[in-house]
mmCIF file of all heavy atoms in Angstrom:
data_model
loop_
_atom_site.group_PDB
_atom_site.id
_atom_site.type_symbol
_atom_site.label_atom_id
_atom_site.label_comp_id
_atom_site.label_asym_id
_atom_site.label_seq_id
_atom_site.Cartn_x
_atom_site.Cartn_y
_atom_site.Cartn_z
ATOM 1 N N SER A 122 118.021 75.047 85.237
ATOM 2 C CA SER A 122 118.966 76.198 85.350
ATOM 3 C C SER A 122 120.265 75.776 84.858
ATOM 4 O O SER A 122 120.703 74.558 84.910
ATOM 5 C CB SER A 122 118.987 76.658 86.793
ATOM 6 O OG SER A 122 120.086 77.531 86.889
ATOM 7 N N SER A 123 121.028 76.741 84.385
ATOM 8 C CA SER A 123 122.523 76.335 83.858
ATOM 9 C C SER A 123 123.392 76.078 85.161
ATOM 10 O O SER A 123 124.489 75.599 84.971
ATOM 11 C CB SER A 123 123.062 77.503 82.971
ATOM 12 O OG SER A 123 122.975 78.687 83.688
ATOM 13 N N ARG A 124 122.928 76.579 86.320
ATOM 14 C CA ARG A 124 123.694 76.378 87.485
ATOM 15 C C ARG A 124 123.591 75.005 88.017
ATOM 16 O O ARG A 124 122.632 74.207 87.748
ATOM 17 C CB ARG A 124 123.219 77.339 88.683
ATOM 18 C CG ARG A 124 123.462 78.879 88.254
ATOM 19 C CD ARG A 124 122.879 79.733 89.346
ATOM 20 N NE ARG A 124 123.496 79.297 90.655
ATOM 21 C CZ ARG A 124 124.569 80.006 91.057
ATOM 22 N NH1 ARG A 124 125.100 80.970 90.337
ATOM 23 N NH2 ARG A 124 125.136 79.839 92.236
ATOM 24 N N ARG A 125 124.613 74.523 88.718
ATOM 25 C CA ARG A 125 124.547 73.223 89.387
ATOM 26 C C ARG A 125 123.496 73.011 90.331
ATOM 27 O O ARG A 125 123.218 73.912 91.175
ATOM 28 C CB ARG A 125 125.875 72.943 90.042
ATOM 29 C CG ARG A 125 126.024 71.607 90.572
ATOM 30 C CD ARG A 125 127.445 71.372 91.156
ATOM 31 N NE ARG A 125 127.742 72.379 92.150
ATOM 32 C CZ ARG A 125 127.538 72.277 93.416
ATOM 33 N NH1 ARG A 125 126.926 71.167 93.899
ATOM 34 N NH2 ARG A 125 127.935 73.094 94.317
ATOM 35 N N LYS A 126 122.697 72.007 90.092
ATOM 36 C CA LYS A 126 121.441 71.840 90.914
ATOM 37 C C LYS A 126 121.902 71.528 92.349
ATOM 38 O O LYS A 126 122.895 70.797 92.614
ATOM 39 C CB LYS A 126 120.632 70.593 90.323
ATOM 40 C CG LYS A 126 119.981 71.024 89.029
ATOM 41 C CD LYS A 126 119.043 69.904 88.650
ATOM 42 C CE LYS A 126 118.297 70.306 87.328
ATOM 43 N NZ LYS A 126 117.361 69.292 86.946
ATOM 44 N N ARG A 127 121.106 71.922 93.201
ATOM 45 C CA ARG A 127 121.330 71.651 94.597
ATOM 46 C C ARG A 127 120.089 70.988 95.229
ATOM 47 O O ARG A 127 118.890 71.409 94.904
ATOM 48 C CB ARG A 127 121.627 72.959 95.419
ATOM 49 C CG ARG A 127 122.948 73.668 94.868
ATOM 50 C CD ARG A 127 123.000 75.082 95.543
ATOM 51 N NE ARG A 127 124.092 75.926 95.024
ATOM 52 C CZ ARG A 127 125.368 75.830 95.494
ATOM 53 N NH1 ARG A 127 125.601 75.136 96.588
ATOM 54 N NH2 ARG A 127 126.276 76.621 94.998
ATOM 55 N N ALA A 128 120.302 69.968 96.178
ATOM 56 C CA ALA A 128 119.065 69.454 96.822
ATOM 57 C C ALA A 128 118.359 70.473 97.579
ATOM 58 O O ALA A 128 117.190 70.538 97.647
ATOM 59 C CB ALA A 128 119.595 68.374 97.693
ATOM 60 N N ALA A 129 119.050 71.410 98.258
ATOM 61 C CA ALA A 129 118.383 72.441 99.087
ATOM 62 C C ALA A 129 119.492 73.481 99.412
ATOM 63 O O ALA A 129 120.684 73.146 99.317
ATOM 64 C CB ALA A 129 117.878 71.890 100.270
ATOM 65 N N VAL A 130 119.056 74.655 99.719
ATOM 66 C CA VAL A 130 119.937 75.619 100.138
ATOM 67 C C VAL A 130 120.427 75.318 101.588
ATOM 68 O O VAL A 130 119.716 75.165 102.447
ATOM 69 C CB VAL A 130 119.390 77.094 100.100
ATOM 70 C CG1 VAL A 130 120.237 78.095 100.661
ATOM 71 C CG2 VAL A 130 118.919 77.394 98.660
ATOM 72 N N PRO A 131 121.691 75.160 101.735
ATOM 73 C CA PRO A 131 122.141 74.779 103.115
ATOM 74 C C PRO A 131 121.877 75.851 104.170
ATOM 75 O O PRO A 131 122.009 77.055 103.989
ATOM 76 C CB PRO A 131 123.671 74.656 102.980
ATOM 77 C CG PRO A 131 124.044 75.491 101.801
ATOM 78 C CD PRO A 131 122.821 75.463 100.942
ATOM 79 N N VAL A 132 121.267 75.368 105.274
ATOM 80 C CA VAL A 132 121.000 76.250 106.409
ATOM 81 C C VAL A 132 122.139 76.262 107.392
ATOM 82 O O VAL A 132 122.312 75.235 108.003
ATOM 83 C CB VAL A 132 119.678 75.894 107.039
ATOM 84 C CG1 VAL A 132 119.188 76.765 108.240
ATOM 85 C CG2 VAL A 132 118.460 75.752 106.041
ATOM 86 N N PRO A 133 122.783 77.313 107.556
ATOM 87 C CA PRO A 133 123.896 77.372 108.526
ATOM 88 C C PRO A 133 123.303 77.262 109.879
ATOM 89 O O PRO A 133 122.257 77.945 110.257
ATOM 90 C CB PRO A 133 124.580 78.738 108.305
ATOM 91 C CG PRO A 133 123.514 79.653 107.630
ATOM 92 C CD PRO A 133 122.579 78.629 106.922
#
Side-chain angles (χ1 to χ4, degrees):
S122 172
S123 58
R124 296 177 60 90
R125 180 172 60 89
K126 291 185 176 180
R127 303 172 184 266
V130 176
V132 179

